[in-house]
Amino acid sequence: MTYEIRPVAVVESSLADPAGAPKQGLEGGPEAWLRFDPAVAGGIGDLAAGDEVFVLTWLHLADRSVLAVHPRDDARNPLTGVFSTRSADRPNPIGLHRVRVLAVDGLRVRVADLEAVDGTPVVDVKPVLDAAR
Protein backbone atom coordinates (compact mmCIF):
# COMPACT_ATOMS: atom_id res chain seq x y z
CA MET A 1 0.00 0.00 0.00
CA THR A 2 1.28 3.47 -0.81
CA TYR A 3 0.15 6.95 0.18
CA GLU A 4 0.65 10.28 -1.51
CA ILE A 5 1.88 13.24 0.50
CA ARG A 6 1.96 16.64 -1.16
CA PRO A 7 4.10 19.39 0.37
CA VAL A 8 2.19 22.43 1.62
CA ALA A 9 5.31 24.59 1.96
CA VAL A 10 9.07 24.58 1.61
CA VAL A 11 11.73 25.64 4.14
CA GLU A 12 13.86 28.69 3.31
CA SER A 13 16.84 28.47 5.67
CA SER A 14 20.48 29.45 5.97
CA LEU A 15 21.22 25.76 6.68
CA ALA A 16 22.39 24.02 3.51
CA ASP A 17 24.01 20.78 4.70
CA PRO A 18 22.37 18.28 7.08
CA ALA A 19 25.80 17.35 8.46
CA GLY A 20 26.26 20.91 9.72
CA ALA A 21 22.74 21.35 11.06
CA PRO A 22 21.96 21.10 14.78
CA LYS A 23 20.40 17.81 15.92
CA GLN A 24 17.42 19.64 17.49
CA GLY A 25 16.06 23.13 16.90
CA LEU A 26 16.77 24.29 20.45
CA GLU A 27 20.44 23.43 19.91
CA GLY A 28 21.02 26.35 17.58
CA GLY A 29 18.38 26.00 14.89
CA PRO A 30 18.20 29.34 13.07
CA GLU A 31 15.19 31.39 12.18
CA ALA A 32 13.74 30.28 8.86
CA TRP A 33 10.83 30.97 6.55
CA LEU A 34 8.13 28.49 5.58
CA ARG A 35 6.97 29.47 2.07
CA PHE A 36 3.45 28.07 1.58
CA ASP A 37 1.86 26.99 -1.67
CA PRO A 38 -0.89 29.42 -2.72
CA ALA A 39 -3.28 26.45 -2.94
CA VAL A 40 -3.21 26.13 0.87
CA ALA A 41 -3.26 29.86 1.72
CA GLY A 42 -6.57 29.50 3.55
CA GLY A 43 -4.90 27.18 6.05
CA ILE A 44 -2.42 29.72 7.43
CA GLY A 45 -4.81 32.60 8.04
CA ASP A 46 -4.99 32.05 11.81
CA LEU A 47 -1.26 31.61 12.46
CA ALA A 48 0.18 34.53 14.43
CA ALA A 49 3.43 35.65 16.00
CA GLY A 50 3.92 33.89 19.32
CA ASP A 51 2.14 30.68 18.33
CA GLU A 52 3.98 27.41 19.00
CA VAL A 53 3.50 24.86 16.26
CA PHE A 54 4.82 21.51 15.14
CA VAL A 55 6.20 21.55 11.61
CA LEU A 56 6.21 18.14 9.95
CA THR A 57 8.73 17.83 7.16
CA TRP A 58 9.78 15.25 4.61
CA LEU A 59 13.51 14.86 5.20
CA HIS A 60 14.23 14.46 1.50
CA LEU A 61 18.01 14.01 1.92
CA ALA A 62 17.69 11.14 4.41
CA ASP A 63 18.82 7.57 3.82
CA ARG A 64 15.60 5.51 3.79
CA SER A 65 17.43 2.18 4.07
CA VAL A 66 18.70 2.82 7.61
CA LEU A 67 17.09 0.82 10.43
CA ALA A 68 19.60 1.33 13.26
CA VAL A 69 21.87 4.23 14.21
CA HIS A 70 24.23 5.40 16.90
CA PRO A 71 22.10 8.14 18.57
CA ARG A 72 23.33 11.66 17.87
CA ASP A 73 25.84 10.15 15.37
CA ASP A 74 28.10 9.28 18.30
CA ALA A 75 29.74 5.85 17.91
CA ARG A 76 30.08 5.66 21.71
CA ASN A 77 26.29 5.30 21.89
CA PRO A 78 24.95 1.77 21.32
CA LEU A 79 23.41 0.92 17.97
CA THR A 80 19.69 1.67 18.38
CA GLY A 81 16.65 1.02 16.17
CA VAL A 82 15.56 4.20 14.39
CA PHE A 83 12.06 4.06 15.85
CA SER A 84 13.61 4.73 19.26
CA THR A 85 15.55 7.76 17.98
CA ARG A 86 15.02 11.13 16.30
CA SER A 87 17.38 10.21 13.44
CA ALA A 88 16.55 11.71 10.05
CA ASP A 89 17.65 8.46 8.40
CA ARG A 90 14.70 6.04 8.55
CA PRO A 91 12.24 4.27 6.20
CA ASN A 92 9.78 7.18 6.16
CA PRO A 93 11.85 10.29 6.94
CA ILE A 94 9.23 12.48 8.58
CA GLY A 95 10.74 15.30 10.60
CA LEU A 96 9.00 16.72 13.67
CA HIS A 97 10.03 20.23 14.68
CA ARG A 98 8.59 22.31 17.52
CA VAL A 99 8.98 25.98 16.55
CA ARG A 100 7.66 29.41 17.49
CA VAL A 101 6.01 31.63 14.90
CA LEU A 102 7.80 34.98 14.69
CA ALA A 103 5.89 36.63 11.84
CA VAL A 104 3.40 35.99 9.09
CA ASP A 105 3.95 37.79 5.77
CA GLY A 106 1.49 36.71 3.10
CA LEU A 107 2.35 33.15 2.14
CA ARG A 108 5.50 33.12 4.27
CA VAL A 109 5.71 32.28 7.97
CA ARG A 110 8.89 33.13 9.90
CA VAL A 111 9.74 30.58 12.63
CA ALA A 112 12.43 30.23 15.30
CA ASP A 113 14.54 27.17 16.09
CA LEU A 114 14.10 25.16 12.89
CA GLU A 115 16.92 22.71 12.16
CA ALA A 116 15.64 21.66 8.71
CA VAL A 117 17.83 22.53 5.73
CA ASP A 118 16.94 24.88 2.90
CA GLY A 119 14.55 23.27 0.40
CA THR A 120 13.06 20.76 2.85
CA PRO A 121 9.42 20.05 1.98
CA VAL A 122 6.86 20.83 4.69
CA VAL A 123 4.01 18.30 4.78
CA ASP A 124 1.94 19.78 7.63
CA VAL A 125 1.80 22.31 10.45
CA LYS A 126 -0.10 21.61 13.67
CA PRO A 127 -0.59 23.65 16.83
CA VAL A 128 1.12 22.68 20.07
CA LEU A 129 -1.74 21.94 22.43
CA ASP A 130 -1.51 23.00 26.06
CA ALA A 131 -3.80 22.06 28.96
CA ALA A 132 -6.28 24.79 27.97
CA ARG A 133 -7.03 23.25 24.56
Side-chain angles (χ1 to χ4, degrees), residues 76-114:
R76 295 173 296 183
N77 291 326
L79 202 56
T80 304
V82 296
F83 301 134
S84 296
T85 76
R86 295 286 306 261
S87 173
D89 295 326
R90 55 197 322 112
N92 287 314
I94 297 170
L96 177 66
H97 318 269
R98 185 175 180 159
V99 301
R100 185 171 33 89
V101 174
L102 300 173
V104 179
D105 180 17
L107 292 175
R108 297 186 337 142
V109 176
R110 185 87 169 159
V111 297
D113 303 325
L114 183 60

Side-chain angles (χ1 to χ4, degrees), residues 1 5 15 22-23 25 27 38 40 49-50 52 58 61 75 77 80 86 89 91 104 106 112-113 115 131:
M1 195 177 264
I5 293 178
L15 296 173
K23 299 292 182 199
E27 297 175 349
V40 300
E52 289 197 28
W58 187 262
L61 301 176
N77 291 326
T80 304
R86 295 286 306 261
D89 295 326
V104 179
D113 303 325
E115 76 278 16

Side-chain angles (χ1 to χ4, degrees), residues 8 26 41 55 66 69 80 86 108 111 113 118 121 132:
V8 296
L26 293 175
V55 175
V66 173
V69 298
T80 304
R86 295 286 306 261
R108 297 186 337 142
V111 297
D113 303 325
D118 189 61

Side-chain angles (χ1 to χ4, degrees), residues 32-91:
W33 286 100
L34 308 178
R35 182 176 33 86
F36 283 84
D37 184 314
V40 300
I44 64 173
D46 296 306
L47 290 177
D51 288 348
E52 289 197 28
V53 297
F54 289 111
V55 175
L56 285 80
T57 57
W58 187 262
L59 302 171
H60 63 299
L61 301 176
D63 182 344
R64 296 183 71 180
S65 68
V66 173
L67 295 176
V69 298
H70 294 282
R72 302 190 67 76
D73 295 325
D74 185 340
R76 295 173 296 183
N77 291 326
L79 202 56
T80 304
V82 296
F83 301 134
S84 296
T85 76
R86 295 286 306 261
S87 173
D89 295 326
R90 55 197 322 112

